[in-house]
């Protein structure tokens, strides 16, 4: 069966510090991968998605970037965090482009 | 472009009350429709889905019917429990756009009180 992992689960970072969040999927090959952000009490904001290694589509211009160094690994990064980057970051995967399956999320607090 | 509109929340119900959360959509093609649930502090879980008109998705006592004539996919449950307190998201996948992410509504927060 397929599983999706995200780490860390919780992160507290100072403004201006770098960020690296990791997402890995097991039990499937060549998945579509997605990064979402959810601000407190708000809906989902799609940040990036990838249909293959090295293929990244950015939905919202900002100080975040994404990379897919391996088939089942998706990384969200920032060189300098802003207060507005605080939120709940969710990774998801799909095979058909239809049903998406979500990870447990990473809660990021920027102080 | 495609879009999903959900009723604004929060929705507060007493235990055993009937639940309806409205969802309507606009799409270019013939989309698949989904309901996801997010419990506090967790990621989203697929609750149910329907892939064509008149299909009914069901799971854990929740149901939703794909209504093409009204472009709707309302979520219903006959008797809610405190454990159903969560945020519910309606979403669609439009095959016209191929391999693209789901389009989500803004979510509806449900609180069930004992």
């Amino acid at each position: 069966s397929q599983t999706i992992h995200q780490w860390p689960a919780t992160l507290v970072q100072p403004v201006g510090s770098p960020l690296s969040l990791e997402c890995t999927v097991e039990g499937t090959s060549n998945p579509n991968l997605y990064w979402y952000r959810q601000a407190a009490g708000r809906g989902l904001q799609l940040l990036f998605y990838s249909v293959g290694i090295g293929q990244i589509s950015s939905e919202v211009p900002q100080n975040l970037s994404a990379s897919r160094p391996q088939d089942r690994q998706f990384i969200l990064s920032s060189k300098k965090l802003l207060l507005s980057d605080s939120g709940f970051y969710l990774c998801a995967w799909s095979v058909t482009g239809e049903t998406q399956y979500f990870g447990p999320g990473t809660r990021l607090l920027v102080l | 472009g495609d879009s999903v509109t959900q009723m604004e929340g929060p929705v507060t119900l007493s235990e055993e009350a009937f639940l309806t959360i409205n969802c309507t959509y606009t799409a270019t093609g013939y989309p698949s429709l989904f309901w996801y649930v997010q419990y506090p502090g967790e990621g989203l879980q697929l609750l149910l889905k329907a892939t064509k008109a008149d299909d009914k998705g069901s799971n854990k006592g929740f149901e939703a019917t794909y209504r093409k004539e009204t472009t709707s996919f309302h979520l219903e449950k006959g008797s809610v429990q405190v454990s159903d307190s969560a945020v519910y998201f309606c979403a669609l996948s439009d095959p016209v756009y191929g391999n693209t992410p789901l389009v989500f509504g803004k979510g509806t927060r449900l609180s069930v009180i004992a």
Side-chain angles (χ1 to χ4, degrees):
Chain A
S1 64
Q2 299 89 359
T3 55
I4 178 170
H5 305 278
Q6 287 187 243
W7 63 88
T10 305
L11 191 59
V12 181
Q13 291 285 95
V15 169
S17 64
L19 173 73
S20 180
L21 302 181
E22 190 165 343
C23 170
T24 59
V25 180
E26 295 176 358
T28 187
S29 296
N30 196 31
N32 299 329
L33 297 171
Y34 312 87
W35 276 114
Y36 291 86
R37 178 169 59 200
Q38 192 174 28
R42 305 285 296 275
L44 296 171
Q45 179 186 29
L46 178 65
L47 302 175
F48 302 95
Y49 73 96
S50 171
V51 298
I53 295 175
Q55 301 178 61
I56 309 293
S57 296
S58 174
E59 293 296 302
V60 182
Q62 55 208 323
N63 69 319
L64 298 173
S65 63
S67 62
R68 185 170 177 172
Q70 299 180 44
D71 180 44
R72 290 169 289 176
Q73 184 185 33
F74 205 23
I75 296 173
L76 183 69
S77 304
S78 174
K79 292 182 180 178
K80 282 188 175 183
L81 283 169
L82 306 172
L83 285 174
S84 57
D85 291 324
S86 293
F88 192 45
Y89 288 81
L90 289 161
C91 182
W93 69 273
S94 71
V95 173
T96 63
E98 278 209 351
T99 306
Q100 287 179 201
Y101 300 94
F102 286 79
T106 294
R107 191 163 302 282
L108 171 66
L109 179 60
V110 182
L111 300 175
Chain B
D2 292 2
S3 66
V4 174
T5 302
Q6 290 181 235
M7 61 188 292
E8 295 280 334
V11 174
T12 302
L13 295 174
S14 298
E15 208 164 22
E16 299 183 5
F18 185 85
L19 168 71
T20 299
I21 300 178
N22 290 338
C23 171
T24 57
Y25 67 90
T26 58
T28 304
Y30 297 96
S32 295
L33 301 172
F34 306 82
W35 277 103
Y36 282 82
V37 59
Q38 184 180 30
Y39 298 104
E42 299 183 7
L44 276 70
Q45 300 175 26
L46 177 66
L47 182 59
L48 53 84
K49 71 181 213 182
T51 57
K52 60 183 188 297
D54 299 325
D55 269 3
K56 178 186 283 188
S58 61
N59 186 24
K60 299 182 181 180
F62 290 89
E63 293 182 340
T65 301
Y66 189 140
R67 300 285 187 203
K68 183 168 172 247
E69 63 276 12
T70 54
T71 62
S72 64
F73 194 53
H74 305 321
L75 183 67
E76 296 182 335
K77 187 175 185 184
S79 175
V80 293
Q81 305 300 313
V82 172
S83 57
D84 294 325
S85 298
V87 180
Y88 293 82
F89 292 91
C90 186
L92 70 80
S93 170
D94 193 340
V96 165
Y97 297 109
N99 215 7
T100 55
L102 299 182
V103 176
F104 283 89
K106 293 184 178 180
T108 303
R109 183 176 299 277
L110 169 67
S111 294
V112 180
I113 53 178

